[in-house]
């Protein structure tokens, strides 16, 4: 009689290995924002405080690292949206806090890398995008139901403006322009309050329209 050979579970990553991976992703995010996706990987490893071998063991290809950075930023943005939905107070104030948090994640500087460096239809990226879009729609919907957000704006309108306002002007250092970002975002947010003082031309921008553009 043969006894079944027990299958061994894959070992869980060690805590120090997980910390190294997080440090690499954090350093890569900072350097991608500052210098773009072509920054040398050894410079990323140096900033993360790890060896080149550790970086390549976690991310054998540049595309994998860029994708991980973009997905991690989207995941944190989704978490900020979930926190906004969990708030029981002023719905518009929750929307405001979410928008400012999303701007700090620098999605505007990172997302253009998607189309230029790897497959934008990668399952991990599609999942992260879908989660963010759904949650933002819920945050905006709650503010509309409360009569605080003008009804003629869509998720695409919000995401486009956040991306544009949080992206530094050409020839301007990304980090030095931070002091203007939240000031201009607040001006935009004030224009979203209901009742609206003007009629917007065209129609609300949907996510589908935003992707087609």
């Amino acid at each position: 009689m043969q006894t079944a050979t027990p299958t061994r579970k894959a070992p869980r990553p060690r805590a120090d290995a997980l910390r190294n991976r997080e440090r690499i992703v954090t350093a890569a995010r900072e350097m991608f924002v500052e210098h773009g996706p072509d920054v040398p990987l050894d410079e990323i490893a140096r900033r993360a405080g790890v060896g080149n071998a550790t970086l390549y063991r976690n991310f054998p290809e540049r595309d994998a690292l860029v994708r991980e950075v973009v997905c991690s930023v989207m995941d944190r943005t989704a978490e900020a949206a979930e926190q906004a939905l969990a708030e029981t107070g002023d719905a518009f104030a929750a929307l405001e806090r979410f928008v400012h948090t999303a701007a700090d994640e620098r999605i505007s500087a990172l997302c253009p890398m998607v189309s230029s460096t790897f497959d934008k239809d990668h399952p991990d990226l599609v999942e992260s995008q879908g989660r963010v879009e759904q949650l933002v729609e819920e945050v905006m919907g709650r503010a509309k139901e409360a009569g605080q957000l003008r009804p003629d704006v869509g998720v695409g309108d919000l995401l486009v403006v956040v991306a544009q306002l949080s992206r530094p002007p050409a020839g301007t250092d990304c980090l030095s322009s931070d002091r203007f970002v939240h000031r201009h975002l607040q001006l935009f947010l004030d224009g979203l309050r209901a009742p609206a003082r003007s009629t917007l031309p065209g129609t609300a921008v949907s996510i589908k329209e935003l992707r087609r553009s």
Side-chain angles (χ1 to χ4, degrees):
M1 180 177 178
Q2 292 183 341
T3 58
T5 303
T7 57
R8 297 183 60 185
K9 295 182 179 180
R12 297 181 61 182
R14 296 183 324 205
D16 58 341
L18 291 174
R19 284 194 296 270
N20 284 339
R21 185 180 179 88
E22 291 172 358
R23 289 163 67 182
I24 291 169
V25 172
T26 298
R29 172 181 175 271
E30 294 171 354
M31 298 197 76
F32 288 160
V33 168
E34 294 171 18
H35 307 292
D38 296 325
V39 62
L41 295 182
D42 58 341
E43 292 294 331
I44 294 175
R46 186 175 297 112
R47 178 173 292 197
V50 302
N52 288 356
T54 299
L55 187 149
Y56 284 107
R57 185 164 56 249
N58 282 275
F59 302 102
E61 300 175 347
R62 180 183 295 271
D63 287 2
L65 177 55
V66 176
R67 183 169 56 249
E68 179 70 15
V69 169
V70 174
C71 286
S72 70
V73 166
M74 287 190 176
D75 288 344
R76 285 198 300 274
T77 302
E79 290 171 2
E82 288 176 335
Q83 291 176 5
L85 288 171
E87 296 183 19
T88 57
D90 188 303
F92 195 90
L95 173 63
E96 288 181 318
R97 282 188 285 274
F98 163 73
V99 168
H100 285 291
T101 300
D104 284 336
E105 290 296 340
R106 292 298 185 190
I107 285 183
S108 61
L110 294 172
C111 285
M113 300 178 191
V114 173
S115 59
S116 61
T117 59
F118 62 86
D119 181 12
K120 63 181 179 180
D121 296 321
H122 189 280
D124 290 348
L125 182 62
V126 171
E127 181 181 356
S128 294
Q129 284 178 325
R131 181 182 174 210
V132 169
E133 292 163 2
Q134 178 182 349
L135 288 168
V136 173
E137 191 166 6
E138 292 179 18
V139 172
M140 294 180 68
R142 198 175 66 151
K144 286 181 180 180
E145 289 175 3
Q148 297 173 303
L149 175 63
R150 55 189 299 165
D152 56 350
V153 293
V155 177
D157 293 310
L158 180 69
L159 295 181
V160 165
V161 175
V162 171
Q164 290 177 339
L165 292 182
S166 60
R167 182 180 303 164
T172 303
D173 178 71
C174 182
L175 299 181
S176 67
S177 66
D178 277 357
R179 61 196 180 104
F180 303 114
V181 170
H182 295 288
R183 176 183 176 86
H184 296 159
L185 279 175
Q186 193 58 49
L187 286 171
F188 163 68
L189 286 164
D190 286 347
L192 292 184
R193 283 189 176 274
R197 296 189 176 184
S198 62
T199 300
L200 294 176
T203 58
V205 179
S206 67
I207 289 297
K208 289 183 178 179
E209 291 173 317
L210 186 60
R211 287 178 174 172
R212 282 200 299 267
S213 63

